[in-house]
Amino acid sequence: MGRFGVTEILVILAVVLLLFGGKKIPELMKGLGSGIKEFKNAAKDDQKPADKADTKEEETK
């Protein structure tokens, strides 16, 4: 398997358009975007408590 060329990308886009239709694709992209945004926010929230715990340990030393 090599790299994707312009022809392969156009074929994939055509298949997606046929499967989901023109009206459904923006809804799918909106859902995908909001899912990615929630994932990034959750990842940031997980990092903040760990950082605070590290600074507390350093302060007590």
Side-chain angles (χ1 to χ4, degrees):
M1 268 183 92
R3 296 182 180 182
F4 288 113
V6 176
T7 308
E8 289 86 0
I9 293 173
L10 289 175
V11 169
I12 291 170
L13 290 175
V15 169
V16 169
L17 184 62
L18 287 173
L19 288 175
F20 296 109
K23 293 182 181 180
K24 198 71 168 172
I25 292 175
E27 294 173 14
L28 290 171
M29 293 299 116
K30 183 179 179 183
L32 181 65
S34 64
I36 292 171
K37 185 177 180 180
E38 289 178 20
F39 178 78
K40 286 182 180 180
N41 288 338
K44 286 181 185 177
D45 290 342
D46 287 343
Q47 289 177 354
K48 287 181 183 177
D51 291 340
K52 289 180 183 176
D54 290 340
T55 57
K56 286 181 183 177
E57 289 177 7
E58 291 175 1
E59 290 174 357
T60 58
K61 289 182 182 178

mmCIF file with all atom_site columns, all heavy atoms in Angstrom, residues 1-23:
data_model
loop_
_atom_site.group_PDB
_atom_site.id
_atom_site.type_symbol
_atom_site.label_atom_id
_atom_site.label_alt_id
_atom_site.label_comp_id
_atom_site.label_asym_id
_atom_site.label_entity_id
_atom_site.label_seq_id
_atom_site.pdbx_PDB_ins_code
_atom_site.Cartn_x
_atom_site.Cartn_y
_atom_site.Cartn_z
_atom_site.occupancy
_atom_site.B_iso_or_equiv
_atom_site.pdbx_formal_charge
_atom_site.auth_seq_id
_atom_site.auth_comp_id
_atom_site.auth_asym_id
_atom_site.auth_atom_id
_atom_site.pdbx_PDB_model_num
ATOM 1   N N   . MET A 1 1  ? 0.841   -1.183 0.000  1.00 0.00 ? 1  MET A N   1
ATOM 2   C CA  . MET A 1 1  ? 0.000   0.000  0.000  1.00 0.00 ? 1  MET A CA  1
ATOM 3   C C   . MET A 1 1  ? 0.881   1.238  0.000  1.00 0.00 ? 1  MET A C   1
ATOM 4   O O   . MET A 1 1  ? 1.738   1.402  0.842  1.00 0.00 ? 1  MET A O   1
ATOM 5   C CB  . MET A 1 1  ? -0.887  0.034  1.229  1.00 0.00 ? 1  MET A CB  1
ATOM 6   C CG  . MET A 1 1  ? -2.233  -0.595 1.006  1.00 0.00 ? 1  MET A CG  1
ATOM 7   S SD  . MET A 1 1  ? -3.287  -0.451 2.449  1.00 0.00 ? 1  MET A SD  1
ATOM 8   C CE  . MET A 1 1  ? -4.115  1.045  2.087  1.00 0.00 ? 1  MET A CE  1
ATOM 9   N N   . GLY A 1 2  ? 0.613   2.094  -0.903 1.00 0.00 ? 2  GLY A N   1
ATOM 10  C CA  . GLY A 1 2  ? 1.378   3.324  -1.008 1.00 0.00 ? 2  GLY A CA  1
ATOM 11  C C   . GLY A 1 2  ? 0.592   4.494  -0.467 1.00 0.00 ? 2  GLY A C   1
ATOM 12  O O   . GLY A 1 2  ? -0.374  4.354  0.272  1.00 0.00 ? 2  GLY A O   1
ATOM 13  N N   . ARG A 1 3  ? 1.007   5.639  -0.881 1.00 0.00 ? 3  ARG A N   1
ATOM 14  C CA  . ARG A 1 3  ? 0.329   6.855  -0.463 1.00 0.00 ? 3  ARG A CA  1
ATOM 15  C C   . ARG A 1 3  ? -0.974  7.018  -1.235 1.00 0.00 ? 3  ARG A C   1
ATOM 16  O O   . ARG A 1 3  ? -1.143  6.469  -2.314 1.00 0.00 ? 3  ARG A O   1
ATOM 17  C CB  . ARG A 1 3  ? 1.215   8.050  -0.727 1.00 0.00 ? 3  ARG A CB  1
ATOM 18  C CG  . ARG A 1 3  ? 2.474   8.033  0.073  1.00 0.00 ? 3  ARG A CG  1
ATOM 19  C CD  . ARG A 1 3  ? 3.273   9.272  -0.202 1.00 0.00 ? 3  ARG A CD  1
ATOM 20  N NE  . ARG A 1 3  ? 4.495   9.239  0.570  1.00 0.00 ? 3  ARG A NE  1
ATOM 21  C CZ  . ARG A 1 3  ? 5.380   10.201 0.568  1.00 0.00 ? 3  ARG A CZ  1
ATOM 22  N NH1 . ARG A 1 3  ? 5.198   11.267 -0.200 1.00 0.00 ? 3  ARG A NH1 1
ATOM 23  N NH2 . ARG A 1 3  ? 6.452   10.116 1.298  1.00 0.00 ? 3  ARG A NH2 1
ATOM 24  N N   . PHE A 1 4  ? -1.874  7.809  -0.649 1.00 0.00 ? 4  PHE A N   1
ATOM 25  C CA  . PHE A 1 4  ? -3.130  8.094  -1.323 1.00 0.00 ? 4  PHE A CA  1
ATOM 26  C C   . PHE A 1 4  ? -2.914  9.215  -2.324 1.00 0.00 ? 4  PHE A C   1
ATOM 27  O O   . PHE A 1 4  ? -2.367  10.265 -1.996 1.00 0.00 ? 4  PHE A O   1
ATOM 28  C CB  . PHE A 1 4  ? -4.214  8.524  -0.331 1.00 0.00 ? 4  PHE A CB  1
ATOM 29  C CG  . PHE A 1 4  ? -4.709  7.397  0.527  1.00 0.00 ? 4  PHE A CG  1
ATOM 30  C CD1 . PHE A 1 4  ? -4.474  7.381  1.880  1.00 0.00 ? 4  PHE A CD1 1
ATOM 31  C CD2 . PHE A 1 4  ? -5.420  6.354  -0.036 1.00 0.00 ? 4  PHE A CD2 1
ATOM 32  C CE1 . PHE A 1 4  ? -4.934  6.354  2.669  1.00 0.00 ? 4  PHE A CE1 1
ATOM 33  C CE2 . PHE A 1 4  ? -5.892  5.312  0.737  1.00 0.00 ? 4  PHE A CE2 1
ATOM 34  C CZ  . PHE A 1 4  ? -5.642  5.314  2.098  1.00 0.00 ? 4  PHE A CZ  1
ATOM 35  N N   . GLY A 1 5  ? -3.369  8.995  -3.531 1.00 0.00 ? 5  GLY A N   1
ATOM 36  C CA  . GLY A 1 5  ? -3.296  10.019 -4.557 1.00 0.00 ? 5  GLY A CA  1
ATOM 37  C C   . GLY A 1 5  ? -4.609  10.758 -4.661 1.00 0.00 ? 5  GLY A C   1
ATOM 38  O O   . GLY A 1 5  ? -5.576  10.497 -3.936 1.00 0.00 ? 5  GLY A O   1
ATOM 39  N N   . VAL A 1 6  ? -4.674  11.671 -5.585 1.00 0.00 ? 6  VAL A N   1
ATOM 40  C CA  . VAL A 1 6  ? -5.886  12.468 -5.782 1.00 0.00 ? 6  VAL A CA  1
ATOM 41  C C   . VAL A 1 6  ? -7.043  11.578 -6.222 1.00 0.00 ? 6  VAL A C   1
ATOM 42  O O   . VAL A 1 6  ? -8.166  11.722 -5.737 1.00 0.00 ? 6  VAL A O   1
ATOM 43  C CB  . VAL A 1 6  ? -5.627  13.585 -6.818 1.00 0.00 ? 6  VAL A CB  1
ATOM 44  C CG1 . VAL A 1 6  ? -6.902  14.350 -7.106 1.00 0.00 ? 6  VAL A CG1 1
ATOM 45  C CG2 . VAL A 1 6  ? -4.544  14.524 -6.338 1.00 0.00 ? 6  VAL A CG2 1
ATOM 46  N N   . THR A 1 7  ? -6.763  10.632 -7.082 1.00 0.00 ? 7  THR A N   1
ATOM 47  C CA  . THR A 1 7  ? -7.819  9.744  -7.582 1.00 0.00 ? 7  THR A CA  1
ATOM 48  C C   . THR A 1 7  ? -8.423  8.914  -6.460 1.00 0.00 ? 7  THR A C   1
ATOM 49  O O   . THR A 1 7  ? -9.656  8.792  -6.363 1.00 0.00 ? 7  THR A O   1
ATOM 50  C CB  . THR A 1 7  ? -7.258  8.803  -8.667 1.00 0.00 ? 7  THR A CB  1
ATOM 51  O OG1 . THR A 1 7  ? -6.593  9.585  -9.657 1.00 0.00 ? 7  THR A OG1 1
ATOM 52  C CG2 . THR A 1 7  ? -8.362  7.995  -9.306 1.00 0.00 ? 7  THR A CG2 1
ATOM 53  N N   . GLU A 1 8  ? -7.586  8.369  -5.591 1.00 0.00 ? 8  GLU A N   1
ATOM 54  C CA  . GLU A 1 8  ? -8.091  7.548  -4.497 1.00 0.00 ? 8  GLU A CA  1
ATOM 55  C C   . GLU A 1 8  ? -8.932  8.364  -3.531 1.00 0.00 ? 8  GLU A C   1
ATOM 56  O O   . GLU A 1 8  ? -9.984  7.918  -3.066 1.00 0.00 ? 8  GLU A O   1
ATOM 57  C CB  . GLU A 1 8  ? -6.934  6.883  -3.737 1.00 0.00 ? 8  GLU A CB  1
ATOM 58  C CG  . GLU A 1 8  ? -6.247  5.787  -4.516 1.00 0.00 ? 8  GLU A CG  1
ATOM 59  C CD  . GLU A 1 8  ? -5.147  6.296  -5.426 1.00 0.00 ? 8  GLU A CD  1
ATOM 60  O OE1 . GLU A 1 8  ? -4.892  7.521  -5.465 1.00 0.00 ? 8  GLU A OE1 1
ATOM 61  O OE2 . GLU A 1 8  ? -4.543  5.464  -6.125 1.00 0.00 ? 8  GLU A OE2 1
ATOM 62  N N   . ILE A 1 9  ? -8.490  9.577  -3.246 1.00 0.00 ? 9  ILE A N   1
ATOM 63  C CA  . ILE A 1 9  ? -9.247  10.441 -2.339 1.00 0.00 ? 9  ILE A CA  1
ATOM 64  C C   . ILE A 1 9  ? -10.598 10.810 -2.937 1.00 0.00 ? 9  ILE A C   1
ATOM 65  O O   . ILE A 1 9  ? -11.626 10.801 -2.252 1.00 0.00 ? 9  ILE A O   1
ATOM 66  C CB  . ILE A 1 9  ? -8.424  11.696 -1.984 1.00 0.00 ? 9  ILE A CB  1
ATOM 67  C CG1 . ILE A 1 9  ? -7.207  11.289 -1.158 1.00 0.00 ? 9  ILE A CG1 1
ATOM 68  C CG2 . ILE A 1 9  ? -9.272  12.719 -1.233 1.00 0.00 ? 9  ILE A CG2 1
ATOM 69  C CD1 . ILE A 1 9  ? -6.233  12.409 -0.900 1.00 0.00 ? 9  ILE A CD1 1
ATOM 70  N N   . LEU A 1 10 ? -10.629 11.101 -4.228 1.00 0.00 ? 10 LEU A N   1
ATOM 71  C CA  . LEU A 1 10 ? -11.901 11.431 -4.881 1.00 0.00 ? 10 LEU A CA  1
ATOM 72  C C   . LEU A 1 10 ? -12.853 10.242 -4.880 1.00 0.00 ? 10 LEU A C   1
ATOM 73  O O   . LEU A 1 10 ? -14.062 10.409 -4.687 1.00 0.00 ? 10 LEU A O   1
ATOM 74  C CB  . LEU A 1 10 ? -11.654 11.912 -6.308 1.00 0.00 ? 10 LEU A CB  1
ATOM 75  C CG  . LEU A 1 10 ? -10.997 13.289 -6.438 1.00 0.00 ? 10 LEU A CG  1
ATOM 76  C CD1 . LEU A 1 10 ? -10.694 13.595 -7.901 1.00 0.00 ? 10 LEU A CD1 1
ATOM 77  C CD2 . LEU A 1 10 ? -11.880 14.355 -5.834 1.00 0.00 ? 10 LEU A CD2 1
ATOM 78  N N   . VAL A 1 11 ? -12.336 9.043  -5.086 1.00 0.00 ? 11 VAL A N   1
ATOM 79  C CA  . VAL A 1 11 ? -13.179 7.841  -5.049 1.00 0.00 ? 11 VAL A CA  1
ATOM 80  C C   . VAL A 1 11 ? -13.756 7.645  -3.652 1.00 0.00 ? 11 VAL A C   1
ATOM 81  O O   . VAL A 1 11 ? -14.951 7.354  -3.495 1.00 0.00 ? 11 VAL A O   1
ATOM 82  C CB  . VAL A 1 11 ? -12.383 6.596  -5.503 1.00 0.00 ? 11 VAL A CB  1
ATOM 83  C CG1 . VAL A 1 11 ? -13.140 5.323  -5.221 1.00 0.00 ? 11 VAL A CG1 1
ATOM 84  C CG2 . VAL A 1 11 ? -12.039 6.703  -6.981 1.00 0.00 ? 11 VAL A CG2 1
ATOM 85  N N   . ILE A 1 12 ? -12.935 7.824  -2.626 1.00 0.00 ? 12 ILE A N   1
ATOM 86  C CA  . ILE A 1 12 ? -13.417 7.675  -1.250 1.00 0.00 ? 12 ILE A CA  1
ATOM 87  C C   . ILE A 1 12 ? -14.484 8.714  -0.941 1.00 0.00 ? 12 ILE A C   1
ATOM 88  O O   . ILE A 1 12 ? -15.527 8.396  -0.346 1.00 0.00 ? 12 ILE A O   1
ATOM 89  C CB  . ILE A 1 12 ? -12.235 7.778  -0.263 1.00 0.00 ? 12 ILE A CB  1
ATOM 90  C CG1 . ILE A 1 12 ? -11.333 6.553  -0.417 1.00 0.00 ? 12 ILE A CG1 1
ATOM 91  C CG2 . ILE A 1 12 ? -12.731 7.903  1.171  1.00 0.00 ? 12 ILE A CG2 1
ATOM 92  C CD1 . ILE A 1 12 ? -10.021 6.653  0.318  1.00 0.00 ? 12 ILE A CD1 1
ATOM 93  N N   . LEU A 1 13 ? -14.267 9.952  -1.346 1.00 0.00 ? 13 LEU A N   1
ATOM 94  C CA  . LEU A 1 13 ? -15.267 11.000 -1.118 1.00 0.00 ? 13 LEU A CA  1
ATOM 95  C C   . LEU A 1 13 ? -16.568 10.715 -1.855 1.00 0.00 ? 13 LEU A C   1
ATOM 96  O O   . LEU A 1 13 ? -17.658 10.970 -1.331 1.00 0.00 ? 13 LEU A O   1
ATOM 97  C CB  . LEU A 1 13 ? -14.704 12.359 -1.530 1.00 0.00 ? 13 LEU A CB  1
ATOM 98  C CG  . LEU A 1 13 ? -13.598 12.921 -0.640 1.00 0.00 ? 13 LEU A CG  1
ATOM 99  C CD1 . LEU A 1 13 ? -13.050 14.213 -1.231 1.00 0.00 ? 13 LEU A CD1 1
ATOM 100 C CD2 . LEU A 1 13 ? -14.096 13.150 0.762  1.00 0.00 ? 13 LEU A CD2 1
ATOM 101 N N   . ALA A 1 14 ? -16.472 10.186 -3.067 1.00 0.00 ? 14 ALA A N   1
ATOM 102 C CA  . ALA A 1 14 ? -17.675 9.840  -3.831 1.00 0.00 ? 14 ALA A CA  1
ATOM 103 C C   . ALA A 1 14 ? -18.454 8.732  -3.136 1.00 0.00 ? 14 ALA A C   1
ATOM 104 O O   . ALA A 1 14 ? -19.690 8.789  -3.054 1.00 0.00 ? 14 ALA A O   1
ATOM 105 C CB  . ALA A 1 14 ? -17.291 9.419  -5.249 1.00 0.00 ? 14 ALA A CB  1
ATOM 106 N N   . VAL A 1 15 ? -17.768 7.745  -2.618 1.00 0.00 ? 15 VAL A N   1
ATOM 107 C CA  . VAL A 1 15 ? -18.441 6.643  -1.914 1.00 0.00 ? 15 VAL A CA  1
ATOM 108 C C   . VAL A 1 15 ? -19.124 7.158  -0.649 1.00 0.00 ? 15 VAL A C   1
ATOM 109 O O   . VAL A 1 15 ? -20.270 6.802  -0.355 1.00 0.00 ? 15 VAL A O   1
ATOM 110 C CB  . VAL A 1 15 ? -17.434 5.519  -1.587 1.00 0.00 ? 15 VAL A CB  1
ATOM 111 C CG1 . VAL A 1 15 ? -18.030 4.504  -0.640 1.00 0.00 ? 15 VAL A CG1 1
ATOM 112 C CG2 . VAL A 1 15 ? -16.963 4.844  -2.871 1.00 0.00 ? 15 VAL A CG2 1
ATOM 113 N N   . VAL A 1 16 ? -18.438 8.024  0.096  1.00 0.00 ? 16 VAL A N   1
ATOM 114 C CA  . VAL A 1 16 ? -19.031 8.601  1.302  1.00 0.00 ? 16 VAL A CA  1
ATOM 115 C C   . VAL A 1 16 ? -20.266 9.418  0.949  1.00 0.00 ? 16 VAL A C   1
ATOM 116 O O   . VAL A 1 16 ? -21.293 9.342  1.631  1.00 0.00 ? 16 VAL A O   1
ATOM 117 C CB  . VAL A 1 16 ? -17.988 9.466  2.055  1.00 0.00 ? 16 VAL A CB  1
ATOM 118 C CG1 . VAL A 1 16 ? -18.634 10.287 3.153  1.00 0.00 ? 16 VAL A CG1 1
ATOM 119 C CG2 . VAL A 1 16 ? -16.894 8.577  2.623  1.00 0.00 ? 16 VAL A CG2 1
ATOM 120 N N   . LEU A 1 17 ? -20.182 10.184 -0.119 1.00 0.00 ? 17 LEU A N   1
ATOM 121 C CA  . LEU A 1 17 ? -21.325 10.988 -0.555 1.00 0.00 ? 17 LEU A CA  1
ATOM 122 C C   . LEU A 1 17 ? -22.496 10.102 -0.949 1.00 0.00 ? 17 LEU A C   1
ATOM 123 O O   . LEU A 1 17 ? -23.650 10.387 -0.603 1.00 0.00 ? 17 LEU A O   1
ATOM 124 C CB  . LEU A 1 17 ? -20.927 11.897 -1.719 1.00 0.00 ? 17 LEU A CB  1
ATOM 125 C CG  . LEU A 1 17 ? -21.978 12.859 -2.224 1.00 0.00 ? 17 LEU A CG  1
ATOM 126 C CD1 . LEU A 1 17 ? -22.369 13.826 -1.116 1.00 0.00 ? 17 LEU A CD1 1
ATOM 127 C CD2 . LEU A 1 17 ? -21.473 13.622 -3.426 1.00 0.00 ? 17 LEU A CD2 1
ATOM 128 N N   . LEU A 1 18 ? -22.232 9.004  -1.623 1.00 0.00 ? 18 LEU A N   1
ATOM 129 C CA  . LEU A 1 18 ? -23.298 8.084  -2.014 1.00 0.00 ? 18 LEU A CA  1
ATOM 130 C C   . LEU A 1 18 ? -23.915 7.387  -0.807 1.00 0.00 ? 18 LEU A C   1
ATOM 131 O O   . LEU A 1 18 ? -25.123 7.170  -0.757 1.00 0.00 ? 18 LEU A O   1
ATOM 132 C CB  . LEU A 1 18 ? -22.772 7.040  -2.989 1.00 0.00 ? 18 LEU A CB  1
ATOM 133 C CG  . LEU A 1 18 ? -22.476 7.538  -4.400 1.00 0.00 ? 18 LEU A CG  1
ATOM 134 C CD1 . LEU A 1 18 ? -21.791 6.436  -5.205 1.00 0.00 ? 18 LEU A CD1 1
ATOM 135 C CD2 . LEU A 1 18 ? -23.757 7.981  -5.092 1.00 0.00 ? 18 LEU A CD2 1
ATOM 136 N N   . LEU A 1 19 ? -23.089 7.024  0.165  1.00 0.00 ? 19 LEU A N   1
ATOM 137 C CA  . LEU A 1 19 ? -23.602 6.313  1.332  1.00 0.00 ? 19 LEU A CA  1
ATOM 138 C C   . LEU A 1 19 ? -24.426 7.201  2.253  1.00 0.00 ? 19 LEU A C   1
ATOM 139 O O   . LEU A 1 19 ? -25.473 6.782  2.747  1.00 0.00 ? 19 LEU A O   1
ATOM 140 C CB  . LEU A 1 19 ? -22.440 5.704  2.131  1.00 0.00 ? 19 LEU A CB  1
ATOM 141 C CG  . LEU A 1 19 ? -21.737 4.512  1.500  1.00 0.00 ? 19 LEU A CG  1
ATOM 142 C CD1 . LEU A 1 19 ? -20.547 4.105  2.358  1.00 0.00 ? 19 LEU A CD1 1
ATOM 143 C CD2 . LEU A 1 19 ? -22.687 3.337  1.341  1.00 0.00 ? 19 LEU A CD2 1
ATOM 144 N N   . PHE A 1 20 ? -23.959 8.413  2.508  1.00 0.00 ? 20 PHE A N   1
ATOM 145 C CA  . PHE A 1 20 ? -24.603 9.259  3.502  1.00 0.00 ? 20 PHE A CA  1
ATOM 146 C C   . PHE A 1 20 ? -25.464 10.361 2.923  1.00 0.00 ? 20 PHE A C   1
ATOM 147 O O   . PHE A 1 20 ? -26.325 10.896 3.609  1.00 0.00 ? 20 PHE A O   1
ATOM 148 C CB  . PHE A 1 20 ? -23.546 9.875  4.426  1.00 0.00 ? 20 PHE A CB  1
ATOM 149 C CG  . PHE A 1 20 ? -22.802 8.850  5.221  1.00 0.00 ? 20 PHE A CG  1
ATOM 150 C CD1 . PHE A 1 20 ? -21.486 8.567  4.934  1.00 0.00 ? 20 PHE A CD1 1
ATOM 151 C CD2 . PHE A 1 20 ? -23.417 8.158  6.250  1.00 0.00 ? 20 PHE A CD2 1
ATOM 152 C CE1 . PHE A 1 20 ? -20.778 7.628  5.655  1.00 0.00 ? 20 PHE A CE1 1
ATOM 153 C CE2 . PHE A 1 20 ? -22.730 7.208  6.982  1.00 0.00 ? 20 PHE A CE2 1
ATOM 154 C CZ  . PHE A 1 20 ? -21.406 6.946  6.680  1.00 0.00 ? 20 PHE A CZ  1
ATOM 155 N N   . GLY A 1 21 ? -25.239 10.752 1.702  1.00 0.00 ? 21 GLY A N   1
ATOM 156 C CA  . GLY A 1 21 ? -26.016 11.826 1.098  1.00 0.00 ? 21 GLY A CA  1
ATOM 157 C C   . GLY A 1 21 ? -25.470 13.188 1.475  1.00 0.00 ? 21 GLY A C   1
ATOM 158 O O   . GLY A 1 21 ? -24.724 13.343 2.441  1.00 0.00 ? 21 GLY A O   1
ATOM 159 N N   . GLY A 1 22 ? -25.836 14.176 0.727  1.00 0.00 ? 22 GLY A N   1
ATOM 160 C CA  . GLY A 1 22 ? -25.322 15.529 0.921  1.00 0.00 ? 22 GLY A CA  1
ATOM 161 C C   . GLY A 1 22 ? -25.801 16.200 2.188  1.00 0.00 ? 22 GLY A C   1
ATOM 162 O O   . GLY A 1 22 ? -25.107 17.019 2.762  1.00 0.00 ? 22 GLY A O   1
ATOM 163 N N   . LYS A 1 23 ? -26.997 15.861 2.660  1.00 0.00 ? 23 LYS A N   1
ATOM 164 C CA  . LYS A 1 23 ? -27.536 16.515 3.853  1.00 0.00 ? 23 LYS A CA  1
ATOM 165 C C   . LYS A 1 23 ? -26.976 15.918 5.134  1.00 0.00 ? 23 LYS A C   1
ATOM 166 O O   . LYS A 1 23 ? -26.893 16.599 6.146  1.00 0.00 ? 23 LYS A O   1
ATOM 167 C CB  . LYS A 1 23 ? -29.057 16.396 3.869  1.00 0.00 ? 23 LYS A CB  1
ATOM 168 C CG  . LYS A 1 23 ? -29.731 17.178 2.760  1.00 0.00 ? 23 LYS A CG  1
ATOM 169 C CD  . LYS A 1 23 ? -31.218 17.080 2.851  1.00 0.00 ? 23 LYS A CD  1
ATOM 170 C CE  . LYS A 1 23 ? -31.871 17.859 1.722  1.00 0.00 ? 23 LYS A CE  1
ATOM 171 N NZ  . LYS A 1 23 ? -33.328 17.776 1.775  1.00 0.00 ? 23 LYS A NZ  1
#
